[in-house]
Amino acid sequence: MSTENRAPRGRRAPAAHERQRDPERTKARILEAATAEFAAKGFAGARVSEIAARAGVNQQLIAYYFDGKEGLYREMNRRWRAYEAQEIPDDTPMGEMVKRYVRASVENLGGRLLAWDGLADTGDDDGEEARERDARLQHEVEVIRERQRAGEIDDRLDPAVLHLIATSAANALAVYPQLARGLFGADARSPELVERYAEQLALLISRAGNNGDAPAGKS
């Protein structure tokens, strides 16, 4: 990732009067503004000055609290993982899990952030963040295998393929809002459409289970 906005050596910390009385509230405002900016422009296109303006804070506070743009992006990812672990744990029923990811993709702009990361991908998977990402993905694939062993999901399906399909589909409203408008005649973020899409996708994914005429592994 670019380091163009990392705090240079010697940059002073904001004076006491420049900092908000409630640091956590200020951090939350910065993170909310950063999410919107990164979702709109990607990591490379986002500017610390614009994030500060959106949050209504001095730009130096971003360096002070997050060590610049890279640190801010890492903190966003860390908070997403914490949210995911709490709100969408591994034992969530498959249909409900799909619904929650659809809602989170739209409400938290996670789908757009993931899309920007993919478009900017250089194939360099040697960094710590890439290793952590891949470890999480392999864990999620193993969770699908466990569901297959338990008879919840058809064991003819490749779990990695199913994961990629489900992830892509869950993010579709956030990544393709123009298609959603054309297909449904509605804003992709409208609560009614989000719920309609979540329900339909959950139904579709459930067909990967063993509720049909043939048992898992049988044709």
Side-chain angles (χ1 to χ4, degrees):
M1 289 185 178
S2 168
T3 58
E4 61 176 318
N5 283 300
R6 289 182 63 85
R9 295 179 181 177
R11 173 176 285 180
R12 70 174 180 86
H17 71 276
E18 294 177 301
R19 297 194 291 271
Q20 301 293 323
R21 292 181 179 179
D22 186 346
E24 292 307 313
R25 188 174 181 181
T26 300
K27 290 178 185 178
R29 284 164 50 200
I30 292 171
L31 285 165
E32 181 179 359
T35 299
E37 182 73 5
F38 285 128
K41 302 175 183 177
F43 180 84
R47 295 290 177 264
V48 172
S49 59
E50 292 296 323
I51 294 171
R54 281 178 182 263
V57 301
N58 188 302
Q59 183 174 330
Q60 290 177 330
L61 283 172
I62 295 176
Y64 180 77
Y65 285 131
F66 300 104
D67 194 24
K69 188 164 78 165
E70 277 194 332
L72 183 55
Y73 202 76
R74 284 194 298 270
E75 179 62 14
M76 286 172 52
N77 286 331
R78 187 194 70 78
R79 294 198 179 202
W80 161 252
R81 290 192 295 273
Y83 169 87
E84 187 179 32
Q86 179 177 336
E87 300 297 331
I88 319 176
D90 290 345
D91 60 355
T92 305
M94 193 71 176
E96 181 61 26
M97 179 179 286
V98 168
K99 294 177 190 177
R100 293 182 188 182
Y101 272 117
V102 170
R103 296 175 191 130
S105 174
V106 175
E107 293 168 6
N108 302 335
L109 300 178
R112 290 183 63 84
L113 293 170
L114 188 63
W116 277 113
D117 282 347
L119 290 171
D121 182 62
T122 63
D124 180 10
D125 291 332
D126 294 332
E128 181 179 352
E129 289 184 18
R131 289 192 292 271
E132 290 178 357
R133 176 204 65 209
D134 291 350
R136 288 194 305 274
L137 289 171
Q138 292 306 313
H139 168 74
E140 290 161 1
V141 167
E142 183 57 32
V143 169
I144 295 176
R145 289 197 182 99
E146 288 291 339
R147 292 178 186 268
Q148 289 177 313
R149 287 191 280 268
E152 184 181 349
I153 297 175
D154 192 326
D155 62 10
R156 293 171 297 182
L157 299 170
D158 183 320
V161 172
L162 181 57
H163 186 289
L164 184 58
I165 290 171
T167 299
S168 301
N171 290 324
L173 289 179
V175 176
Y176 306 118
Q178 77 281 23
L179 299 186
R181 287 194 302 273
L183 289 166
F184 304 110
D187 189 295
R189 299 190 66 182
S190 71
E192 296 80 11
L193 178 54
V194 171
E195 287 307 307
R196 175 185 173 189
Y197 182 79
E199 290 284 349
Q200 287 291 302
L201 181 58
L203 177 62
L204 181 63
I205 294 296
S206 75
R207 298 297 184 180
N210 296 319
N211 298 320
D213 295 332
K218 304 290 184 181
S219 56

